[in-house]
Amino acid sequence: MTAPTTTAPPIVVKLGGSCFDDLDGAWWDDLAGHGQHTPLVLVHGWSKALRELGERTARPPTILRDRYGNQSRWTTPEVLDDIKAVSGELAADVFARLQTRGIAVRRLLGSEGLCRAGAGERWWWQNKQLVELDNLVGPITGVDPAPLRDLAPRQAALVTPLARNAAGQEVNTDADRAAAAVSAALGATDLVLVTDVEHLLIDGEPVRWVTAGEAAQFRDRGATGGMRKKLRAACEAIEQGVGRVIIGSAPVSELIAGRTGTVITRT
């Protein structure tokens, strides 16, 4: 009797929306090299592409701040349509880059059975007042890994991190936290957060390795903006069983090997 074959858990890579255009051919060569032997799951952001669309259409984004100090893009049905439009353009780019390197790619909207979201915050600061607003945003609460279970080497899935809440509404959700939830649901050993900075900086100094506990302390003490969200996502991933989270701007091989970037582990 032939023993059943097993496929190693995929490599999960979150592609930052702010750095997507800066990933050169060598970066994609390196990623495709991993994909020859291991399935790839790519979760993408869209911040830069959505901002550029807003500039072209004279619809600049509105950034809200909740009562706890967290920022969020005000997401309306029109903004969701814009997110899908720019995500389709990003997907076409990823398809072209990977398929020419021998990797078959399929796209998944997280809202199509993959990602679940909780109730979103309803009270936001606007014009120096707390007001109740409809904002189609919700925190990621779960992932059904079934749509990604059949991935094999030389295959990749590109996930657009939208989700469905309990009411069935399609909502925007944070891409870093979505990548953390996806990596945990798939049993991934590593989550790679590719961004536009080389390392996590603490007190102005680059940090090459840090525990999840130390990362959480810095997140609450001094991290701001996008890095605060990344550290929250990293801690959530490790709490759910992911072995390591690596943050940086280098090729995936360099980050996984620990030659650059910041590695976050449980202990």
Side-chain angles (χ1 to χ4, degrees):
M1 179 181 296
T2 302
T5 59
T6 58
T7 300
I11 295 175
V12 181
V13 180
K14 191 271 179 160
L15 302 174
S18 61
C19 68
F20 188 86
D21 291 341
D22 298 326
L23 303 176
D24 61 15
W27 192 93
W28 291 100
D29 288 341
D30 177 82
L31 180 65
H34 283 281
Q36 299 298 320
H37 310 287
T38 307
L40 301 174
V41 175
L42 311 176
V43 181
H44 73 84
W46 50 65
S47 56
K48 183 178 178 181
L50 197 58
R51 183 176 65 251
E52 291 174 346
L53 176 62
E55 292 170 352
R56 295 197 303 270
T57 59
R59 294 198 306 269
T62 299
I63 304 300
L64 302 173
R65 186 181 296 275
D66 69 14
R67 49 189 161 168
Y68 307 107
N70 300 308
Q71 289 187 346
S72 172
R73 182 186 298 271
W74 191 0
T75 303
T76 62
E78 293 75 21
V79 171
L80 284 176
D81 288 342
D82 288 346
I83 287 172
K84 291 178 183 178
V86 300
S87 296
E89 295 173 359
L90 290 172
D93 192 353
V94 172
F95 284 19
R97 292 175 183 273
L98 287 180
Q99 287 176 343
T100 58
R101 292 171 167 86
I103 306 296
V105 189
R106 68 176 187 256
R107 182 189 179 201
L108 292 173
L109 291 180
S111 51
E112 296 178 343
L114 183 67
C115 298
R116 300 185 300 276
E121 174 64 41
R122 295 192 58 83
W123 291 92
W124 302 89
W125 287 103
Q126 191 177 55
N127 298 324
K128 299 183 179 180
Q129 290 184 322
L130 266 178
V131 296
E132 190 173 14
L133 294 173
D134 284 325
N135 190 15
L136 294 175
V137 172
I140 191 83
T141 57
V143 168
D144 179 359
L148 299 171
R149 287 293 193 199
D150 62 344
L151 281 177
R154 299 190 178 184
Q155 295 179 347
L158 179 68
V159 176
T160 297
L162 300 175
R164 294 277 173 187
N165 62 21
Q169 292 176 302
E170 188 174 40
V171 297
N172 182 3
T173 195
D174 180 68
D176 292 308
R177 297 180 70 190
V182 167
S183 62
L186 291 173
T189 56
D190 291 328
L191 167 61
V192 181
L193 302 179
V194 179
T195 184
D196 55 0
V197 296
E198 293 183 5
H199 307 89
L200 169 66
L201 298 176
I202 297 181
D203 298 327
E205 296 296 325
V207 176
R208 298 294 298 273
W209 175 83
V210 66
T211 68
E214 292 165 339
Q217 291 177 1
F218 174 66
R219 177 196 67 208
D220 296 335
R221 175 173 59 87
T224 59
M227 186 55 72
R228 181 181 177 88
K229 289 184 177 181
K230 283 176 174 51
L231 292 177
R232 183 175 186 180
C235 293
E236 289 175 348
I238 290 171
E239 286 169 1
Q240 296 176 74
V242 177
R244 301 187 307 165
V245 179
I246 308 103
I247 301 174
S249 60
V252 170
S253 290
E254 295 293 304
L255 294 170
I256 288 178
R259 289 190 284 267
T260 186
T262 298
V263 179
I264 303 173
T265 57
R266 179 176 296 276
T267 57

